[in-house]
């Protein structure tokens, strides 16, 4: 296919824009931004997590997650335990503190999770389980290869 690059990049960009738009629409009533959704969703689905665990689960950088956590904490969506978790847990930064949803956070996260499930159900109507499995496997492989290529260039 001669136009592979254009097709791939245009579709990926379009999907990304649609996801950001849906997140923005869903979060506007709660005065939240798109990055906050992933944190609330992860805490809702997984329970208490550290910022490091959220970075790993959401594949987001530490600074962006830290900014979002501060906002969510200041606005009553989550609390941060004073107890540290993991290696080097004595003293130190808030990065290893366990994060938990407040009642407000749980209510908002439950609403967001319901909306996410509805969107996923609608998207699933046009794709079989086998097609989805193949798509995710292919996207994972593309991501792995592109990440490897980027790492090689970072060393130059």
């Amino acid at each position: 296919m001669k136009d592979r690059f254009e097709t791939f990049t245009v579709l990926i960009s379009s999907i990304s824009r649609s996801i950001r738009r849906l997140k923005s629409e869903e979060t506007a009533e709660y005065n939240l931004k798109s990055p906050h959704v992933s944190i609330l969703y992860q805490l809702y689905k997984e329970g208490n997590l550290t910022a490091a665990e959220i970075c790993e689960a959401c594949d987001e950088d530490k600074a962006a997650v830290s900014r979002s956590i501060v906002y969510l904490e200041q606005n009553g969506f989550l609390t941060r335990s004073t107890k540290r978790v993991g290696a080097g847990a004595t003293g130190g930064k808030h990065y290893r503190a366990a994060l938990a949803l407040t009642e407000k956070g749980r209510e908002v996260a439950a609403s967001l999770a319901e909306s996410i499930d509805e969107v996923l159900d609608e998207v699933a109507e046009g794709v079989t389980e086998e097609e989805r499995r193949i798509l995710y496997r292919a996207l994972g492989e593309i991501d792995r290869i592109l990440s490897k290529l980027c790492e090689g260039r970072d060393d130059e």
Side-chain angles (χ1 to χ4, degrees):
M1 183 195 309
K2 191 174 179 181
D3 59 345
R4 279 190 321 188
F5 175 76
E6 292 85 1
T7 301
F8 178 77
T9 57
V10 166
L11 287 173
I12 293 294
S13 293
S14 178
I15 290 168
S16 183
R17 272 192 311 276
S18 294
I19 290 169
R20 280 193 310 273
R21 183 175 174 199
L22 289 168
K23 281 182 174 180
S24 293
E25 289 172 2
E26 289 297 322
T27 59
E29 70 179 280
Y30 306 113
N31 202 26
L32 296 172
K33 302 276 188 236
S34 179
H36 303 141
V37 174
S38 296
I39 293 171
L40 292 173
Y41 186 78
Q42 286 300 319
L43 289 170
Y44 181 74
K45 292 291 186 181
E46 302 296 328
N48 298 358
L49 298 170
T50 65
E53 291 168 330
I54 290 170
C55 287
E56 178 78 19
C58 301
D59 195 26
E60 289 287 341
D61 67 83
K62 183 178 175 180
V65 168
S66 293
R67 283 189 302 273
S68 292
I69 287 170
V70 167
Y71 178 86
L72 292 168
E73 187 176 25
Q74 288 175 345
N75 288 279
F77 293 97
L78 61 83
T79 61
R80 188 185 322 236
S81 169
T82 56
K83 180 181 175 188
R84 306 287 183 247
V85 178
T90 57
K93 308 234 182 229
H94 291 291
Y95 197 61
R96 296 199 182 277
L99 302 166
L101 293 173
T102 61
E103 185 59 37
K104 175 183 177 180
R106 273 189 296 283
E107 289 174 13
V108 170
S111 175
L112 293 173
E114 184 178 323
S115 295
I116 289 167
D117 289 343
E118 288 172 6
V119 168
L120 291 175
D121 288 344
E122 285 185 49
V123 169
E125 288 178 15
V127 181
T128 68
E129 187 61 37
E130 177 68 8
E131 290 170 327
R132 185 173 24 265
R133 187 186 62 72
I134 292 168
L135 171 67
Y136 289 165
R137 184 184 56 74
L139 286 172
E141 186 64 10
I142 291 167
D143 180 50
R144 184 188 69 74
I145 293 167
L146 288 173
S147 294
K148 187 176 178 181
L149 289 171
C150 290
E151 286 173 12
R153 292 207 163 90
D154 291 341
D155 296 339
E156 294 176 2

